[in-house]
Amino acid sequence: MTIDSRAALPPDPTYDYGGHSVQITPEPGSRTQWRVMDDDGYLGIIATADPVKGEPEVHFAVHFAGEEDIPPTKIVPLWTTAVEFLIDAGEPQSPPESSDSAA
């Protein structure tokens, strides 16, 4: 089995998609969560998630801005797909002061 490099950890510090460029930074105090920010603000968090349907590789949970403490909106196998989902469907907001949420 070949693991796609887009599933590797940690995610790249920047990502360009659909004319948008986002910054991906570690969530303070966490090794499994990353904030996704663009020029307009905070889009949300991507976080490692348990494998889905018995698939062995790491998956990434998507939490929109303001929804960090509820179950993830989507779980995908690639961090790039998680970031693209935030870019496509998210609404930029001000980042939280600090986050102790878990995926």
Side-chain angles (χ1 to χ4, degrees):
M1 172 195 302
T2 301
I3 301 293
D4 192 312
S5 63
R6 296 170 298 166
L9 291 172
D12 293 340
T14 60
Y15 185 66
D16 296 324
Y17 167 76
H20 295 272
S21 182
V22 296
Q23 297 75 48
I24 303 167
T25 59
E27 180 70 4
S30 175
R31 294 177 10 167
T32 61
Q33 297 180 345
W34 298 267
R35 287 185 185 195
V36 179
M37 306 275 296
D38 71 6
D39 290 339
D40 295 326
Y42 166 68
L43 294 170
I45 288 177
I46 60 170
T48 58
D50 292 332
V52 178
K53 300 177 187 167
E55 297 173 0
E57 58 274 338
V58 171
H59 280 66
F60 297 87
V62 177
H63 296 271
F64 286 116
E67 298 181 2
E68 297 86 357
D69 295 329
I70 64 173
T73 304
K74 187 173 190 113
I75 297 176
V76 295
L78 305 174
W79 67 262
T80 54
T81 306
V83 171
E84 290 168 6
F85 186 72
L86 281 174
I87 291 169
D88 287 342
E91 290 291 328
Q93 297 183 11
S94 296
E97 291 293 321
S98 67
S99 177
D100 296 329
S101 64

